Amino acid sequence: MTVVPRLVLSAPSSGHGRNALTIGLLAALADRDVKVAGFKVGPDRVDAAYLGLAAGRPGRTLDPLLVGADRLAPLVAHGAEGAELAVVQGSMGLYDSVTGRPDQDSTAAVATALRSPVVLVVDVAAMGQSVAALVHGFRSYDEQLWLGGVILTGVASSRHDAMLREALDDAGVPVYGALRRHDLPAVLPDRRHGVAPAIDGSGEASRAVRRLGEAVAATVDLERLLGLARSAPPLPAVAWSPQDALAAPAAPADPPVVALAGAPGGSYSTPETAELLRAAGAQVVMLDPLRDEALPPGTRALIVGGALPESYAEQLSANRRLCIAVAELARTGRPVIAEGAGMLWLARELDGLPMCGVLDAVGASRDGLVVGYRTATARTTSVVASEGAVLVGHKEHRAVLSPRAGQRPAWSWEGGSAEGFVWRNVHASQLALHWAGHPGIATRLVAAAAAEPAPAAVPA
């Protein structure tokens, strides 16, 4: 059992202001020297990155499909170690599930697994007393759910505010805050930039988070919310540990340097990736593919996580010195794992822009978005998995590669053709994995990085 005061912020559906409100809540509390930790339900690393920026510690994703439902509480206990409050931002509607299994992977299911009170964020711009019926329905739909109260957004006036509070008071629902229509300004950087503004220390992202914090501090009863969070029982789990997850592997005598793509404020991988690599015996060094012109000295492996934004193709292409260094690293047999846009970076070109040239493939951007979970089977033994292994990952991309797979594909799944490339110790695919769900990847990667590479071969 682990004592972690906590809240889950959810909504009836998307579009109620939950994202901005959660970021603002973390920023407002952190500004008052409350130690906070932010989590995001689902695979969305962009939201998690901004939660991390607001909290001042890594924002983490909680995805039952990617890590397993039994790891949710341990990961919260781990990510909130030393914090006075953990705030979990839900996804979609409270009871919604993209897989059709709301009892397993909805925000409500996560809140139940965490034994956490839920605060429902409701946009009442076009609503009066009916808000009480709406909230009552969400509260009574699942008797295991602990609906602790609401925060209202889109309130039109003081009279509207009083009407809503009276209706909710009659239903026995606490109101922790009421925000007017313009209290949550649309100040966050364009989402097409992904996690980059949040982790590269840009002034725009920091100013946006600060403004949201000021708005929440002026309209939300922070002390009452903290009281609700502290009423949560101990988490029914022991904190997750990267060392325990790896079952104490034998660390190499000479820790290999593993370059992890990212920026000063974090990486394009989940935070658990770096933690597992260190536990496996690696020396993890951050590499900024947009600015660094050389690999860290002594680099023996490279990891490019799935949160690298596709919108930075011009900057990636313009960094020719690093492209040449990455190509040489791959050619000499050093391990390279590239997910999402990382695979596009390894291609010959993307939208006519020259890239690293490791893969004999060409990328092109499209209008439509490919997004969803995949239960994938490894087609080739690699630094990621043995042939035949089944892993669950997530895809979210616009650009595609031609060909879709190399002579030695990385993955295949039901209803789709083979995807990805395995060449020597390169594993490239647009499927992103959460390493907390598959910790053995860290052990495989570090062992390959510590080993002597095979003789050079022809390019992929």
Side-chain angles (χ1 to χ4, degrees):
M1 296 286 185
T2 308
V3 177
V4 179
R6 58 199 179 278
L7 295 170
V8 173
L9 266 62
S10 189
S13 66
S14 299
H16 287 253
R18 171 188 51 215
N19 182 36
L21 186 76
T22 308
I23 294 170
L25 176 61
L26 288 169
L29 290 168
D31 189 54
R32 283 156 178 72
D33 295 325
V34 177
K35 297 177 182 178
V36 289
F39 302 83
K40 170 67 179 179
V41 175
D44 191 338
R45 299 188 196 172
V46 178
D47 285 356
Y50 282 97
L51 296 177
L53 178 61
R57 66 165 66 196
R60 299 173 189 261
T61 55
L62 299 173
D63 194 313
L65 288 173
L66 298 183
V67 303
D70 58 331
R71 289 192 180 96
L72 297 179
L75 285 171
V76 169
H78 169 69
E81 185 177 0
E84 299 168 84
L85 174 67
V87 178
V88 180
Q89 178 189 333
S91 63
M92 303 184 294
L94 177 58
Y95 295 107
D96 292 336
S97 163
V98 296
T99 66
R101 298 178 297 182
D103 59 323
Q104 299 179 39
D105 49 47
S106 66
T107 298
V110 172
T112 301
L114 298 179
R115 302 172 67 185
S116 173
V118 175
V119 175
L120 200 66
V121 180
V122 185
D123 185 345
V124 294
M127 195 180 303
Q129 289 91 338
S130 295
V131 67
L134 173 73
V135 176
H136 172 72
F138 272 86
R139 181 177 59 182
S140 60
Y141 182 77
D142 182 357
E143 62 182 16
Q144 295 187 22
L145 186 82
W146 178 5
L147 184 59
V150 299
I151 296 176
L152 307 176
T153 61
V155 177
S157 63
S158 298
R159 182 172 177 272
H160 189 205
D161 186 353
M163 177 197 305
L164 297 164
R165 289 178 184 270
E166 182 179 357
L168 289 164
D169 183 61
D170 288 343
V173 178
V175 177
Y176 292 98
L179 289 82
R180 300 294 177 92
R181 290 174 178 173
H182 302 294
D183 282 344
L184 288 177
V187 292
L188 293 174
D190 193 313
R191 192 173 175 84
R192 70 186 181 88
H193 298 307
V195 306
I199 68 173
D200 71 2
S202 75
E204 180 187 9
S206 298
R207 287 191 296 271
V209 168
R210 185 170 60 251
R211 285 188 62 187
L212 293 175
E214 293 168 352
V216 168
T219 54
V220 174
D221 192 332
L222 301 179
E223 288 303 320
R224 286 180 66 211
L225 272 181
L226 282 170
L228 176 63
R230 290 167 182 152
S231 69
L235 271 173
V238 176
W240 179 85
S241 160
Q243 291 80 10
D244 293 343
L246 296 179
D254 183 18
V257 174
V258 175
L260 186 63
S267 77
Y268 297 121
S269 304
T270 60
E272 293 83 1
T273 299
E275 293 166 352
L276 284 164
L277 286 169
R278 295 188 181 100
Q283 178 185 348
V284 180
V285 181
M286 200 65 67
L287 168 73
D288 190 339
L290 305 179
R291 297 175 179 84
D292 294 338
E293 295 186 350
L295 294 167
T299 294
R300 297 175 69 91
L302 169 65
I303 300 171
V304 186
L308 176 67
E310 294 180 0
S311 59
Y312 287 81
E314 291 186 5
Q315 292 92 320
L316 291 169
S317 176
N319 195 349
R320 298 313 306 158
R321 289 186 177 181
L322 184 59
C323 284
I324 293 170
V326 169
E328 179 65 12
L329 185 77
R331 186 191 68 80
T332 55
R334 295 300 181 189
V336 177
I337 297 177
E339 298 176 334
M343 181 172 77
L344 303 173
W345 187 37
L346 296 187
R348 285 207 318 267
E349 62 180 56
L350 173 60
D351 293 333
L353 299 170
M355 293 293 168
C356 295
V358 174
L359 308 176
D360 188 13
V362 175
S365 297
R366 295 182 176 179
D367 292 334
L369 181 66
V370 178
V371 60
Y373 296 95
R374 301 290 187 272
T375 299
T377 300
R379 291 284 299 272
T380 308
T381 296
S382 68
V383 293
V384 170
S386 298
E387 181 179 359
V390 178
L391 293 79
V392 179
H394 187 265
K395 290 167 64 72
E396 184 171 350
H397 60 88
R398 297 185 185 277
V400 296
L401 271 188
S402 181
R404 177 184 168 95
Q407 293 182 350
R408 301 170 66 211
W411 307 109
S412 64
W413 47 78
E414 185 178 354
S417 54
E419 180 189 285
F421 297 75
V422 175
W423 173 71
R424 293 176 63 75
N425 272 331
V426 175
H427 185 285
S429 168
Q430 288 178 303
L431 187 72
L433 303 172
H434 196 306
W435 285 27
H438 310 288
I441 300 175
T443 304
R444 297 174 70 94
L445 186 282
V446 172
E452 288 298 321
V458 295

